[in-house]
Amino acid sequence: MDDVRHHIPVRPARFIDQLRHHIRSVGLSYRTEQTYVYWVKHFIYFHNKQHPKDLGARHIEAFLNHLAINRHCAVATQKVALNALNALTYLYRRFSD
């Protein structure tokens, strides 16, 4: 069922649903949505389920260092994660109200 989009409420309360809603509203592909949600969830879990509004640049750097050093991820995987986190950085501005 990986090819069926998740249902999200009209006015989503959960951060991940807000992220999905934003991705859909700007017309990004479903594959992009899946990738971004995957990496954002990993980022949140890496930081003990802290809300992204409480995390900043140093947290992003720590996460990327973890991928590169501790998990020995391939360069391509690191680039995908960086792209997802760049999108998350953009979303911080949108959701920081």
Side-chain angles (χ1 to χ4, degrees):
M1 299 280 283
D2 222 15
D3 58 342
V4 177
R5 289 186 177 218
H6 293 266
H7 171 75
I8 55 173
V10 175
R11 293 183 183 217
R14 293 180 46 223
F15 180 78
I16 293 298
D17 288 339
Q18 292 173 358
L19 175 62
R20 287 182 192 281
H21 183 268
H22 179 267
I23 289 169
R24 292 175 190 182
S25 70
V26 297
L28 298 177
S29 74
Y30 180 55
R31 185 66 187 128
T32 299
E33 177 183 329
Q34 289 175 311
T35 301
Y36 282 11
V37 168
Y38 172 86
W39 284 111
V40 168
K41 283 182 177 181
H42 275 64
F43 176 67
I44 291 169
Y45 279 97
F46 177 77
H47 290 293
N48 299 314
K49 298 183 182 179
Q50 290 184 59
H51 193 283
K53 71 180 179 186
D54 300 326
L55 304 173
R58 67 184 176 93
H59 297 97
I60 293 170
E61 183 178 352
F63 178 65
L64 293 175
N65 284 336
H66 166 73
L67 290 178
I69 297 166
N70 299 342
R71 290 198 42 209
H72 307 290
C73 287
V75 173
T77 302
Q78 293 174 41
K79 287 181 182 178
V80 171
L82 181 58
N83 288 336
L85 292 175
N86 283 337
L88 181 61
T89 301
Y90 169 78
L91 292 175
Y92 278 150
R93 292 184 186 124
R94 183 180 185 280
F95 293 118
S96 65
D97 299 350

PDB file of all heavy atoms in Angstrom, residues 70-97:
ATOM      1  N   ASN A  70      28.413   7.447  11.908  1.00  0.00           N
ATOM      2  CA  ASN A  70      27.974   6.286  12.684  1.00  0.00           C
ATOM      3  C   ASN A  70      27.278   5.227  11.845  1.00  0.00           C
ATOM      4  O   ASN A  70      27.417   4.045  12.111  1.00  0.00           O
ATOM      5  CB  ASN A  70      27.060   6.722  13.831  1.00  0.00           C
ATOM      6  CG  ASN A  70      27.759   7.651  14.798  1.00  0.00           C
ATOM      7  OD1 ASN A  70      28.985   7.728  14.831  1.00  0.00           O
ATOM      8  ND2 ASN A  70      26.989   8.385  15.565  1.00  0.00           N
ATOM      9  N   ARG A  71      26.506   5.647  10.854  1.00  0.00           N
ATOM     10  CA  ARG A  71      25.761   4.682  10.049  1.00  0.00           C
ATOM     11  C   ARG A  71      26.476   4.337   8.757  1.00  0.00           C
ATOM     12  O   ARG A  71      26.049   3.458   8.031  1.00  0.00           O
ATOM     13  CB  ARG A  71      24.358   5.221   9.744  1.00  0.00           C
ATOM     14  CG  ARG A  71      23.508   5.237  11.002  1.00  0.00           C
ATOM     15  CD  ARG A  71      22.044   5.322  10.786  1.00  0.00           C
ATOM     16  NE  ARG A  71      21.529   4.512   9.713  1.00  0.00           N
ATOM     17  CZ  ARG A  71      20.451   4.817   9.011  1.00  0.00           C
ATOM     18  NH1 ARG A  71      19.797   5.921   9.250  1.00  0.00           N
ATOM     19  NH2 ARG A  71      20.018   4.037   8.061  1.00  0.00           N
ATOM     20  N   HIS A  72      27.538   5.064   8.454  1.00  0.00           N
ATOM     21  CA  HIS A  72      28.329   4.812   7.242  1.00  0.00           C
ATOM     22  C   HIS A  72      27.441   4.768   5.991  1.00  0.00           C
ATOM     23  O   HIS A  72      27.557   3.869   5.168  1.00  0.00           O
ATOM     24  CB  HIS A  72      29.129   3.515   7.365  1.00  0.00           C
ATOM     25  CG  HIS A  72      29.958   3.458   8.602  1.00  0.00           C
ATOM     26  ND1 HIS A  72      31.068   4.236   8.800  1.00  0.00           N
ATOM     27  CD2 HIS A  72      29.817   2.731   9.740  1.00  0.00           C
ATOM     28  CE1 HIS A  72      31.595   3.986   9.980  1.00  0.00           C
ATOM     29  NE2 HIS A  72      30.863   3.074  10.586  1.00  0.00           N
ATOM     30  N   CYS A  73      26.534   5.735   5.891  1.00  0.00           N
ATOM     31  CA  CYS A  73      25.644   5.790   4.732  1.00  0.00           C
ATOM     32  C   CYS A  73      26.423   6.163   3.478  1.00  0.00           C
ATOM     33  O   CYS A  73      27.407   6.880   3.525  1.00  0.00           O
ATOM     34  CB  CYS A  73      24.549   6.836   4.944  1.00  0.00           C
ATOM     35  SG  CYS A  73      23.301   6.341   6.121  1.00  0.00           S
ATOM     36  N   ALA A  74      25.936   5.673   2.380  1.00  0.00           N
ATOM     37  CA  ALA A  74      26.527   6.018   1.096  1.00  0.00           C
ATOM     38  C   ALA A  74      26.320   7.504   0.827  1.00  0.00           C
ATOM     39  O   ALA A  74      25.404   8.129   1.348  1.00  0.00           O
ATOM     40  CB  ALA A  74      25.865   5.194  -0.014  1.00  0.00           C
ATOM     41  N   VAL A  75      27.167   8.074  -0.006  1.00  0.00           N
ATOM     42  CA  VAL A  75      27.091   9.494  -0.331  1.00  0.00           C
ATOM     43  C   VAL A  75      25.720   9.840  -0.907  1.00  0.00           C
ATOM     44  O   VAL A  75      25.132  10.866  -0.566  1.00  0.00           O
ATOM     45  CB  VAL A  75      28.222   9.886  -1.305  1.00  0.00           C
ATOM     46  CG1 VAL A  75      28.050  11.311  -1.787  1.00  0.00           C
ATOM     47  CG2 VAL A  75      29.572   9.711  -0.639  1.00  0.00           C
ATOM     48  N   ALA A  76      25.188   9.006  -1.769  1.00  0.00           N
ATOM     49  CA  ALA A  76      23.877   9.275  -2.370  1.00  0.00           C
ATOM     50  C   ALA A  76      22.786   9.354  -1.301  1.00  0.00           C
ATOM     51  O   ALA A  76      21.901  10.210  -1.367  1.00  0.00           O
ATOM     52  CB  ALA A  76      23.528   8.201  -3.394  1.00  0.00           C
ATOM     53  N   THR A  77      22.851   8.490  -0.294  1.00  0.00           N
ATOM     54  CA  THR A  77      21.869   8.509   0.788  1.00  0.00           C
ATOM     55  C   THR A  77      21.987   9.810   1.580  1.00  0.00           C
ATOM     56  O   THR A  77      20.984  10.422   1.945  1.00  0.00           O
ATOM     57  CB  THR A  77      22.068   7.299   1.723  1.00  0.00           C
ATOM     58  OG1 THR A  77      21.961   6.111   0.956  1.00  0.00           O
ATOM     59  CG2 THR A  77      21.045   7.286   2.837  1.00  0.00           C
ATOM     60  N   GLN A  78      23.203  10.235   1.822  1.00  0.00           N
ATOM     61  CA  GLN A  78      23.419  11.486   2.541  1.00  0.00           C
ATOM     62  C   GLN A  78      22.847  12.665   1.757  1.00  0.00           C
ATOM     63  O   GLN A  78      22.263  13.578   2.331  1.00  0.00           O
ATOM     64  CB  GLN A  78      24.903  11.704   2.798  1.00  0.00           C
ATOM     65  CG  GLN A  78      25.504  10.706   3.767  1.00  0.00           C
ATOM     66  CD  GLN A  78      27.003  10.870   3.880  1.00  0.00           C
ATOM     67  OE1 GLN A  78      27.494  11.977   3.917  1.00  0.00           O
ATOM     68  NE2 GLN A  78      27.715   9.758   3.911  1.00  0.00           N
ATOM     69  N   LYS A  79      22.983  12.647   0.447  1.00  0.00           N
ATOM     70  CA  LYS A  79      22.451  13.731  -0.382  1.00  0.00           C
ATOM     71  C   LYS A  79      20.932  13.770  -0.319  1.00  0.00           C
ATOM     72  O   LYS A  79      20.337  14.844  -0.250  1.00  0.00           O
ATOM     73  CB  LYS A  79      22.930  13.586  -1.823  1.00  0.00           C
ATOM     74  CG  LYS A  79      24.390  13.926  -1.996  1.00  0.00           C
ATOM     75  CD  LYS A  79      24.820  13.789  -3.440  1.00  0.00           C
ATOM     76  CE  LYS A  79      26.304  14.083  -3.574  1.00  0.00           C
ATOM     77  NZ  LYS A  79      26.762  13.920  -4.964  1.00  0.00           N
ATOM     78  N   VAL A  80      20.287  12.613  -0.334  1.00  0.00           N
ATOM     79  CA  VAL A  80      18.830  12.570  -0.225  1.00  0.00           C
ATOM     80  C   VAL A  80      18.405  13.127   1.126  1.00  0.00           C
ATOM     81  O   VAL A  80      17.474  13.935   1.218  1.00  0.00           O
ATOM     82  CB  VAL A  80      18.302  11.130  -0.426  1.00  0.00           C
ATOM     83  CG1 VAL A  80      16.821  11.050  -0.101  1.00  0.00           C
ATOM     84  CG2 VAL A  80      18.558  10.673  -1.853  1.00  0.00           C
ATOM     85  N   ALA A  81      19.097  12.721   2.190  1.00  0.00           N
ATOM     86  CA  ALA A  81      18.773  13.221   3.527  1.00  0.00           C
ATOM     87  C   ALA A  81      18.980  14.728   3.598  1.00  0.00           C
ATOM     88  O   ALA A  81      18.164  15.449   4.176  1.00  0.00           O
ATOM     89  CB  ALA A  81      19.625  12.512   4.575  1.00  0.00           C
ATOM     90  N   LEU A  82      20.030  15.217   2.998  1.00  0.00           N
ATOM     91  CA  LEU A  82      20.284  16.650   3.001  1.00  0.00           C
ATOM     92  C   LEU A  82      19.184  17.394   2.263  1.00  0.00           C
ATOM     93  O   LEU A  82      18.710  18.435   2.720  1.00  0.00           O
ATOM     94  CB  LEU A  82      21.639  16.949   2.368  1.00  0.00           C
ATOM     95  CG  LEU A  82      22.054  18.417   2.329  1.00  0.00           C
ATOM     96  CD1 LEU A  82      22.096  19.008   3.728  1.00  0.00           C
ATOM     97  CD2 LEU A  82      23.402  18.560   1.639  1.00  0.00           C
ATOM     98  N   ASN A  83      18.735  16.867   1.143  1.00  0.00           N
ATOM     99  CA  ASN A  83      17.632  17.490   0.414  1.00  0.00           C
ATOM    100  C   ASN A  83      16.365  17.535   1.265  1.00  0.00           C
ATOM    101  O   ASN A  83      15.664  18.537   1.295  1.00  0.00           O
ATOM    102  CB  ASN A  83      17.356  16.748  -0.897  1.00  0.00           C
ATOM    103  CG  ASN A  83      18.434  16.988  -1.917  1.00  0.00           C
ATOM    104  OD1 ASN A  83      19.125  17.987  -1.874  1.00  0.00           O
ATOM    105  ND2 ASN A  83      18.572  16.068  -2.842  1.00  0.00           N
ATOM    106  N   ALA A  84      16.070  16.447   1.942  1.00  0.00           N
ATOM    107  CA  ALA A  84      14.890  16.406   2.800  1.00  0.00           C
ATOM    108  C   ALA A  84      15.014  17.413   3.939  1.00  0.00           C
ATOM    109  O   ALA A  84      14.056  18.107   4.274  1.00  0.00           O
ATOM    110  CB  ALA A  84      14.683  15.000   3.345  1.00  0.00           C
ATOM    111  N   LEU A  85      16.191  17.504   4.518  1.00  0.00           N
ATOM    112  CA  LEU A  85      16.368  18.427   5.629  1.00  0.00           C
ATOM    113  C   LEU A  85      16.388  19.873   5.148  1.00  0.00           C
ATOM    114  O   LEU A  85      15.975  20.770   5.884  1.00  0.00           O
ATOM    115  CB  LEU A  85      17.621  18.070   6.416  1.00  0.00           C
ATOM    116  CG  LEU A  85      17.477  16.741   7.167  1.00  0.00           C
ATOM    117  CD1 LEU A  85      18.785  16.350   7.830  1.00  0.00           C
ATOM    118  CD2 LEU A  85      16.364  16.804   8.188  1.00  0.00           C
ATOM    119  N   ASN A  86      16.816  20.114   3.925  1.00  0.00           N
ATOM    120  CA  ASN A  86      16.697  21.464   3.363  1.00  0.00           C
ATOM    121  C   ASN A  86      15.231  21.845   3.251  1.00  0.00           C
ATOM    122  O   ASN A  86      14.847  22.976   3.548  1.00  0.00           O
ATOM    123  CB  ASN A  86      17.374  21.549   1.997  1.00  0.00           C
ATOM    124  CG  ASN A  86      18.880  21.619   2.114  1.00  0.00           C
ATOM    125  OD1 ASN A  86      19.410  22.020   3.134  1.00  0.00           O
ATOM    126  ND2 ASN A  86      19.566  21.221   1.069  1.00  0.00           N
ATOM    127  N   ALA A  87      14.412  20.904   2.825  1.00  0.00           N
ATOM    128  CA  ALA A  87      12.980  21.160   2.749  1.00  0.00           C
ATOM    129  C   ALA A  87      12.412  21.411   4.144  1.00  0.00           C
ATOM    130  O   ALA A  87      11.582  22.299   4.336  1.00  0.00           O
ATOM    131  CB  ALA A  87      12.263  19.986   2.094  1.00  0.00           C
ATOM    132  N   LEU A  88      12.884  20.657   5.122  1.00  0.00           N
ATOM    133  CA  LEU A  88      12.425  20.844   6.489  1.00  0.00           C
ATOM    134  C   LEU A  88      12.818  22.225   6.998  1.00  0.00           C
ATOM    135  O   LEU A  88      12.019  22.896   7.659  1.00  0.00           O
ATOM    136  CB  LEU A  88      13.006  19.761   7.400  1.00  0.00           C
ATOM    137  CG  LEU A  88      12.606  19.814   8.859  1.00  0.00           C
ATOM    138  CD1 LEU A  88      11.100  19.664   9.004  1.00  0.00           C
ATOM    139  CD2 LEU A  88      13.320  18.728   9.633  1.00  0.00           C
ATOM    140  N   THR A  89      14.005  22.679   6.663  1.00  0.00           N
ATOM    141  CA  THR A  89      14.441  24.014   7.053  1.00  0.00           C
ATOM    142  C   THR A  89      13.498  25.068   6.479  1.00  0.00           C
ATOM    143  O   THR A  89      13.107  26.016   7.163  1.00  0.00           O
ATOM    144  CB  THR A  89      15.885  24.264   6.592  1.00  0.00           C
ATOM    145  OG1 THR A  89      16.728  23.282   7.183  1.00  0.00           O
ATOM    146  CG2 THR A  89      16.368  25.638   6.999  1.00  0.00           C
ATOM    147  N   TYR A  90      13.125  24.896   5.235  1.00  0.00           N
ATOM    148  CA  TYR A  90      12.158  25.795   4.615  1.00  0.00           C
ATOM    149  C   TYR A  90      10.832  25.746   5.374  1.00  0.00           C
ATOM    150  O   TYR A  90      10.214  26.776   5.656  1.00  0.00           O
ATOM    151  CB  TYR A  90      11.949  25.409   3.150  1.00  0.00           C
ATOM    152  CG  TYR A  90      10.787  26.103   2.508  1.00  0.00           C
ATOM    153  CD1 TYR A  90      10.883  27.417   2.094  1.00  0.00           C
ATOM    154  CD2 TYR A  90       9.574  25.447   2.340  1.00  0.00           C
ATOM    155  CE1 TYR A  90       9.810  28.069   1.514  1.00  0.00           C
ATOM    156  CE2 TYR A  90       8.487  26.084   1.770  1.00  0.00           C
ATOM    157  CZ  TYR A  90       8.611  27.396   1.356  1.00  0.00           C
ATOM    158  OH  TYR A  90       7.536  28.025   0.795  1.00  0.00           O
ATOM    159  N   LEU A  91      10.407  24.553   5.732  1.00  0.00           N
ATOM    160  CA  LEU A  91       9.140  24.418   6.436  1.00  0.00           C
ATOM    161  C   LEU A  91       9.182  25.028   7.831  1.00  0.00           C
ATOM    162  O   LEU A  91       8.168  25.484   8.346  1.00  0.00           O
ATOM    163  CB  LEU A  91       8.722  22.954   6.512  1.00  0.00           C
ATOM    164  CG  LEU A  91       8.351  22.329   5.174  1.00  0.00           C
ATOM    165  CD1 LEU A  91       8.073  20.861   5.337  1.00  0.00           C
ATOM    166  CD2 LEU A  91       7.155  23.038   4.577  1.00  0.00           C
ATOM    167  N   TYR A  92      10.378  25.058   8.452  1.00  0.00           N
ATOM    168  CA  TYR A  92      10.489  25.697   9.763  1.00  0.00           C
ATOM    169  C   TYR A  92       9.983  27.130   9.677  1.00  0.00           C
ATOM    170  O   TYR A  92       9.299  27.612  10.561  1.00  0.00           O
ATOM    171  CB  TYR A  92      11.930  25.721  10.253  1.00  0.00           C
ATOM    172  CG  TYR A  92      12.420  24.455  10.895  1.00  0.00           C
ATOM    173  CD1 TYR A  92      13.759  24.104  10.817  1.00  0.00           C
ATOM    174  CD2 TYR A  92      11.574  23.632  11.618  1.00  0.00           C
ATOM    175  CE1 TYR A  92      14.230  22.950  11.419  1.00  0.00           C
ATOM    176  CE2 TYR A  92      12.036  22.478  12.215  1.00  0.00           C
ATOM    177  CZ  TYR A  92      13.364  22.164  12.113  1.00  0.00           C
ATOM    178  OH  TYR A  92      13.830  21.026  12.720  1.00  0.00           O
ATOM    179  N   ARG A  93      10.335  27.804   8.609  1.00  0.00           N
ATOM    180  CA  ARG A  93       9.895  29.188   8.455  1.00  0.00           C
ATOM    181  C   ARG A  93       8.378  29.269   8.333  1.00  0.00           C
ATOM    182  O   ARG A  93       7.739  30.172   8.849  1.00  0.00           O
ATOM    183  CB  ARG A  93      10.556  29.804   7.226  1.00  0.00           C
ATOM    184  CG  ARG A  93      12.035  29.969   7.406  1.00  0.00           C
ATOM    185  CD  ARG A  93      12.638  30.677   6.212  1.00  0.00           C
ATOM    186  NE  ARG A  93      14.088  30.688   6.354  1.00  0.00           N
ATOM    187  CZ  ARG A  93      14.923  30.199   5.455  1.00  0.00           C
ATOM    188  NH1 ARG A  93      14.467  29.696   4.330  1.00  0.00           N
ATOM    189  NH2 ARG A  93      16.206  30.242   5.666  1.00  0.00           N
ATOM    190  N   ARG A  94       7.798  28.314   7.631  1.00  0.00           N
ATOM    191  CA  ARG A  94       6.351  28.331   7.411  1.00  0.00           C
ATOM    192  C   ARG A  94       5.580  28.009   8.693  1.00  0.00           C
ATOM    193  O   ARG A  94       4.537  28.571   8.951  1.00  0.00           O
ATOM    194  CB  ARG A  94       5.985  27.317   6.332  1.00  0.00           C
ATOM    195  CG  ARG A  94       4.525  27.313   5.992  1.00  0.00           C
ATOM    196  CD  ARG A  94       4.237  26.291   4.907  1.00  0.00           C
ATOM    197  NE  ARG A  94       2.880  26.333   4.472  1.00  0.00           N
ATOM    198  CZ  ARG A  94       1.855  25.780   5.094  1.00  0.00           C
ATOM    199  NH1 ARG A  94       2.040  25.137   6.217  1.00  0.00           N
ATOM    200  NH2 ARG A  94       0.636  25.851   4.607  1.00  0.00           N
ATOM    201  N   PHE A  95       6.098  27.099   9.512  1.00  0.00           N
ATOM    202  CA  PHE A  95       5.388  26.643  10.699  1.00  0.00           C
ATOM    203  C   PHE A  95       5.850  27.317  11.982  1.00  0.00           C
ATOM    204  O   PHE A  95       5.429  26.925  13.052  1.00  0.00           O
ATOM    205  CB  PHE A  95       5.509  25.128  10.849  1.00  0.00           C
ATOM    206  CG  PHE A  95       4.799  24.370   9.763  1.00  0.00           C
ATOM    207  CD1 PHE A  95       5.494  23.544   8.912  1.00  0.00           C
ATOM    208  CD2 PHE A  95       3.432  24.491   9.582  1.00  0.00           C
ATOM    209  CE1 PHE A  95       4.856  22.850   7.918  1.00  0.00           C
ATOM    210  CE2 PHE A  95       2.777  23.812   8.586  1.00  0.00           C
ATOM    211  CZ  PHE A  95       3.488  22.973   7.750  1.00  0.00           C
ATOM    212  N   SER A  96       6.693  28.306  11.883  1.00  0.00           N
ATOM    213  CA  SER A  96       7.218  28.930  13.101  1.00  0.00           C
ATOM    214  C   SER A  96       6.316  30.025  13.639  1.00  0.00           C
ATOM    215  O   SER A  96       6.684  30.705  14.580  1.00  0.00           O
ATOM    216  CB  SER A  96       8.611  29.489  12.837  1.00  0.00           C
ATOM    217  OG  SER A  96       8.546  30.536  11.883  1.00  0.00           O
ATOM    218  N   ASP A  97       5.157  30.180  13.061  1.00  0.00           N
ATOM    219  CA  ASP A  97       4.218  31.226  13.516  1.00  0.00           C
ATOM    220  C   ASP A  97       3.850  31.050  14.971  1.00  0.00           C
ATOM    221  O   ASP A  97       3.614  30.056  15.493  1.00  0.00           O
ATOM    222  CB  ASP A  97       2.948  31.211  12.667  1.00  0.00           C
ATOM    223  CG  ASP A  97       3.259  31.495  11.200  1.00  0.00           C
ATOM    224  OD1 ASP A  97       4.398  31.887  10.922  1.00  0.00           O
ATOM    225  OD2 ASP A  97       2.359  31.315  10.382  1.00  0.00           O
TER     226      ASP A  97
END
